[in-house]
Amino acid sequence: MRRLSFICLSALMSLPALAADLPDFTDLIQKTSPAVVKINTVSASPAAYNGRDDIPDSLRQFFDYYQYQQPPQDQAQAVGAGFILSADGYVLTNNHVVEGAAEITVRLNDRHEYRAEVVGVDPQSDLALLKVDAEGLPTVAFADPDSLEVGDWVVAIGSPFNLDYSASAGIVSAIGRSLPNGSGQDYVPFIQTDVAINPGNSGGPLFNLDGEVVGINSQIFTRSGGYMGLSFAIPVSVAMDVVDQLKATGQVTRGWLGVVIQEVDQELAESFGLDRPRGALINQVAPNSPASRADLRPGDVVLSFDGQPITYSYELPHVVGLRAPGSSYPVRLMRRGEEIEIEVRVGELGGAIEPSRVSSSKQPIAPGAPIAPSALGMRVEELDARSAAQLQLNGGVVVRAVQPDSPASRAGLAPGDIIVQLGFRNIGSMADFDQAIVDAASDERMPIRYFRNGNSVFRTIKVD
């Protein structure tokens, strides 16, 4: 019994020592709060979010009395956060905070209120630049984009559930998270944190321990509408570029290649001659795009762009998006087992044409030559010219049957798939297909590219 008491006492005595190692956020919050603003918007849509439904029952009466006067039926109120960039009244927030707003009010923590005008918005990054008519305002400073590391302490200040100027703290959980937007585009390498972020925090700053902004709180992962442990912020590297462009022109342009990419796994890395999984595998190239003009090809694996290594495929649009349209950059890639470097002149995303998607491969395909057995455990026939034209392909072979427990079945092939590449050979005919099998080394993985339901897929196949 005495031994147990000694252990408990020792643990209690160590608590002050542990607390001494934790950061004190008091000075940071007092220093930065004056530049953090609350943003109230009124829109003509009654369906817009106003925060009220997310207020806990225990607080609802408080909000009914103090804040939520019932707006007219043809209007809706919403609440967000933001922060002041310059003493002459530039304010940064999320695009979704002010989207569709007919009236925007910026409120400082000293209760001064200003009517705000929208300088410009960038839906791709979910950022909006506002301007209020004021001088001598308190401001924040951006951190060095390269200074943030996983494990760093960070602090968020905002108005969750309309609770003004609430602070929450946590650590950086990951950097460079890929979260495609509603249109499937991915140009923001998000900062992931475990900082408690809730509706009303959107657009507010994420500070490091030096009181510098490292990110703009934008999204949470949730099944309930509230915080569940995963929060995502737009990094300052993106924000600085967006702010500069919005100030200069009121709009944002981004670099664009015109490719569809996929991740490189261990098997694909082996088949392409890579030492480990890395890079962005080009799956499709849009016609008349910067990629096609630079002779980038399906099957190329981009290893670096403008000297910046590409470890995961989602990093490529992040890097390209920050490059100036019309400028040329070196691209290092793996092609047919050899590492080469080419120059690519980047286009502009605003005028981009999405990579063409061929029609469904399940549409009727005219009968061709007799189906021939394949050493890969599948039966194929040549794609006739009429079907190839309908599918916007330069030939190929159609899978008609797949033998169970064969190389083809293990590669995931199914009847109706159209094979257009096997190994490093483009497949335009049965002769190409047969020669590719002859060239294949036994027990060696090789890449295979095929179309299914209009989508191009790269897999690997191994000749037994």
Side-chain angles (χ1 to χ4, degrees):
M1 189 70 175
R2 279 181 292 181
R3 182 180 180 185
L4 178 62
S5 299
F6 176 77
I7 293 174
C8 293
L9 181 60
S10 298
L12 290 172
M13 291 176 65
S14 66
L15 288 178
L18 291 174
D21 294 333
L22 297 176
D24 183 354
F25 303 114
T26 307
D27 290 341
L28 185 156
I29 293 170
Q30 290 178 352
K31 171 187 172 184
T32 59
S33 289
V36 180
V37 301
K38 179 181 179 181
I39 297 177
N40 293 294
T41 66
V42 176
S43 69
S45 170
Y49 168 76
N50 64 9
R52 194 174 191 275
D53 293 336
D54 290 323
I55 299 171
D57 291 338
S58 59
L59 295 178
R60 181 152 307 180
Q61 184 178 4
F62 173 85
F63 276 95
D64 286 346
Y65 182 77
Y66 281 100
Q67 179 69 26
Y68 279 94
Q69 307 295 327
Q70 183 68 30
Q73 292 300 311
D74 61 346
Q75 293 183 334
Q77 295 179 347
V79 176
F83 53 95
I84 303 170
L85 296 174
S86 61
D88 58 350
Y90 281 100
V91 176
L92 188 63
T93 186
N94 281 149
N95 175 59
H96 74 258
V97 170
V98 299
E99 187 174 18
E103 181 180 312
I104 305 170
T105 303
V106 171
R107 179 181 177 182
L108 279 64
N109 72 347
D110 64 4
R111 303 186 67 181
H112 275 96
E113 292 189 2
Y114 302 92
R115 187 67 59 86
E117 299 294 333
V118 177
V119 176
V121 300
D122 180 36
Q124 297 289 347
S125 64
D126 191 26
L127 291 173
L129 184 64
L130 312 179
K131 182 70 167 62
V132 299
D133 186 12
E135 297 289 341
L137 297 178
T139 64
V140 299
F142 278 151
D144 178 354
D146 298 324
S147 64
L148 193 66
E149 296 182 350
V150 175
D152 283 349
W153 281 96
V154 282
V155 175
I157 302 177
S159 301
F161 302 116
N162 211 23
L163 292 165
D164 294 2
Y165 304 100
S166 297
S168 53
I171 64 166
V172 175
S173 306
I175 296 173
R177 284 294 191 220
S178 177
L179 299 174
N181 59 22
S183 60
Q185 294 174 325
D186 180 8
Y187 286 92
V188 178
F190 285 95
I191 302 165
Q192 179 188 325
T193 77
D194 65 355
V195 178
I197 300 296
N198 283 290
N201 276 113
S202 291
L206 187 70
F207 293 106
N208 61 19
L209 291 184
D210 293 325
E212 300 167 325
V213 176
V214 296
I216 298 87
N217 298 308
S218 176
Q219 300 186 35
I220 58 174
F221 174 83
T222 180
R223 292 190 175 95
S224 65
Y227 172 71
M228 293 182 64
L230 296 175
S231 307
F232 300 94
I234 303 161
V236 294
S237 58
V238 174
M240 289 190 300
D241 179 62
V242 169
V243 168
D244 289 343
Q245 293 193 57
L246 290 179
K247 279 186 176 182
T249 65
Q251 61 184 5
V252 176
T253 60
R254 283 188 171 81
W256 174 68
L257 279 182
V259 295
V260 176
I261 55 177
Q262 76 174 67
E263 198 64 68
V264 177
D265 59 20
Q266 181 62 47
E267 292 185 357
L268 284 170
E270 179 183 330
S271 69
F272 286 116
L274 293 168
D275 57 341
R276 57 185 171 82
R278 57 190 174 104
L281 172 58
I282 295 178
N283 197 307
Q284 290 178 264
V285 177
N288 302 316
S289 65
S292 67
R293 289 190 287 272
D295 195 31
L296 286 171
R297 309 170 188 174
D300 288 346
V301 181
V302 179
L303 304 178
S304 70
F305 190 95
D306 191 23
Q308 186 163 334
I310 305 297
T311 303
Y312 296 96
S313 61
Y314 60 75
E315 295 173 346
L316 183 60
H318 298 168
V319 175
V320 175
L322 291 174
R323 298 309 185 264
S327 300
S328 295
Y329 301 95
V331 180
R332 194 140 194 91
L333 51 86
M334 181 69 79
R335 173 178 292 172
R336 296 179 176 271
E338 295 184 4
E339 199 168 319
I340 63 172
E341 185 171 296
I342 62 174
E343 288 283 323
V344 176
R345 187 181 179 88
V346 173
E348 182 178 333
L349 180 64
I353 301 174
E354 287 299 314
S356 60
R357 296 279 185 169
V358 299
S359 305
S360 171
S361 62
K362 290 186 178 295
Q363 62 180 291
I365 297 176
I371 300 174
S374 164
L376 298 176
M378 58 182 167
R379 295 184 136 193
V380 300
E381 70 177 24
E382 191 164 306
L383 185 67
D384 68 285
R386 180 180 177 183
S387 298
Q390 290 176 343
L391 298 170
Q392 302 177 32
L393 296 175
N394 296 320
V397 296
V398 184
V399 177
R400 289 306 191 191
V402 176
Q403 182 180 347
D405 195 28
S406 65
S409 67
R410 290 191 289 273
L413 286 157
D417 292 343
I418 302 173
I419 300 172
V420 294
Q421 181 178 332
L422 185 58
F424 295 129
R425 178 181 289 273
N426 292 327
I427 305 300
S429 64
M430 281 298 302
D432 294 333
F433 182 76
D434 292 338
Q435 187 60 50
I437 294 177
V438 171
D439 295 340
S442 180
D443 291 329
E444 182 176 304
R445 291 194 182 277
M446 56 182 176
I448 183 170
R449 179 176 176 243
Y450 57 89
F451 280 85
R452 175 181 293 173
N453 295 330
N455 296 317
S456 173
V457 181
F458 261 109
R459 299 288 295 274
T460 63
I461 195 165
K462 189 175 183 179
V463 180
D464 289 340

